[in-house]
Amino acid sequence: MPLTVLLVDDEPLVRAGLRAVLETQPDIRVVGDAADGAAVIPLVRRLRPDVVVMDVRMPLMDGIEATRAVLRTVPDPPKILVVTTFANDEYVYGALRAGADGFLLKRARPAEIVHAVRLVTEGDSLLFPAAVRQLAASYGRDHGNAAARTALERAALTEREEEVLRLMARGLSNAEIAARLVVGTETVKSHVSSVLAKLGVRDRTQAVIAAYESGFVSPG
């Protein structure tokens, strides 16, 4: 079955360009598009895409609010990949905090766009880990608070789970963590799943944000 994608951007040329890139791939199918975040929920419910590729800045409902709305109201929601002009953008961090699974630069090459769509569906590593870490380091301290620290303490991670979370926050994939800890990849997947469940987050992007905002991982 091909990966199905919904495109959301207020610029028709951007939507057309993304569609042209993605539809060159035999395993990816664009099932619809929209010009604003306000149209996302009914389209997601009707089309059931695997991934929503969504502009972070739109006039009526931006990507942050649209991400929140999808995750709050749609059962078994799709992965959400926000598109931005600038990587170090607080809007992007807001979208990631709201639950987006990754972001993509509008100037990305076609191969990077295809890779991003595939990678967010796999969930074994961060998309553009260095950029995610930079965003978390830049804005995590501003958003972090005692509640974030308390949530991490209540998660009661084991020593090995804490080790895995630190390596996740450094951007390592499951395979890289397995090599670092000298364990099997399936063991790492089990630890990652446990960390996500205990933190109450849906993927490793939100786990990394929680690690920074709680002070568990320090910038640098």
Side-chain angles (χ1 to χ4, degrees):
M1 294 290 289
L3 288 174
T4 54
V5 179
L6 172 67
L7 304 175
V8 185
D9 195 294
D10 60 328
E11 297 182 32
L13 286 177
V14 172
R15 296 199 307 274
L18 289 170
R19 180 184 287 271
V21 167
L22 294 172
E23 290 191 336
T24 64
Q25 304 301 306
D27 62 330
I28 297 176
R29 182 163 61 94
V30 176
V31 294
D33 63 67
D36 195 82
V40 170
I41 290 179
L43 284 173
V44 167
R45 290 185 173 181
R46 179 166 61 87
L47 301 172
R48 303 303 301 173
D50 297 307
V51 182
V52 176
V53 179
M54 179 159 52
D55 190 11
V56 73
R57 293 176 183 262
M58 292 178 286
L60 297 179
M61 179 183 286
D62 64 28
I64 299 173
E65 290 304 317
T67 295
R68 286 199 188 101
V70 168
L71 297 182
R72 185 175 61 245
T73 64
V74 178
D76 191 22
K79 298 292 185 179
I80 297 177
L81 184 62
V82 293
V83 182
T84 180
T85 303
F86 305 106
N88 193 20
D89 184 346
E90 192 166 7
Y91 267 71
V92 176
Y93 189 70
L96 296 178
R97 289 187 83 240
D101 302 278
F103 70 92
L104 181 66
L105 291 176
K106 288 192 175 182
R107 64 175 181 271
R109 297 188 299 271
E112 291 175 326
I113 296 170
V114 172
H115 173 67
V117 168
R118 290 181 177 141
L119 189 61
V120 295
T121 64
E122 296 167 2
D124 286 347
S125 60
L126 288 174
L127 180 60
F128 306 129
V132 172
R133 293 200 309 274
Q134 183 180 359
L135 283 167
S138 298
Y139 302 114
R141 185 177 299 174
D142 295 337
H143 291 282
N145 50 40
R149 291 190 293 274
T150 300
L152 190 70
E153 290 169 0
R154 287 179 176 170
L157 300 180
T158 65
E159 186 174 339
R160 178 46 62 92
E161 288 166 351
E162 289 183 348
E163 195 171 10
V164 167
L165 179 56
R166 288 190 182 94
L167 294 175
M168 289 166 59
R170 290 175 58 184
L172 273 65
S173 66
N174 286 355
E176 291 167 334
I177 294 172
R180 182 69 59 90
L181 300 181
V182 195
V183 298
T185 304
E186 290 303 318
T187 299
V188 172
K189 288 182 179 179
S190 177
H191 287 313
V192 170
S193 295
S194 182
V195 168
L196 301 186
K198 287 183 176 182
L199 293 178
V201 297
R202 80 177 192 137
D203 61 29
R204 65 203 302 136
T205 301
Q206 278 70 54
V208 169
I209 289 172
Y212 275 94
E213 291 190 352
S214 65
F216 178 76
V217 174
S218 299

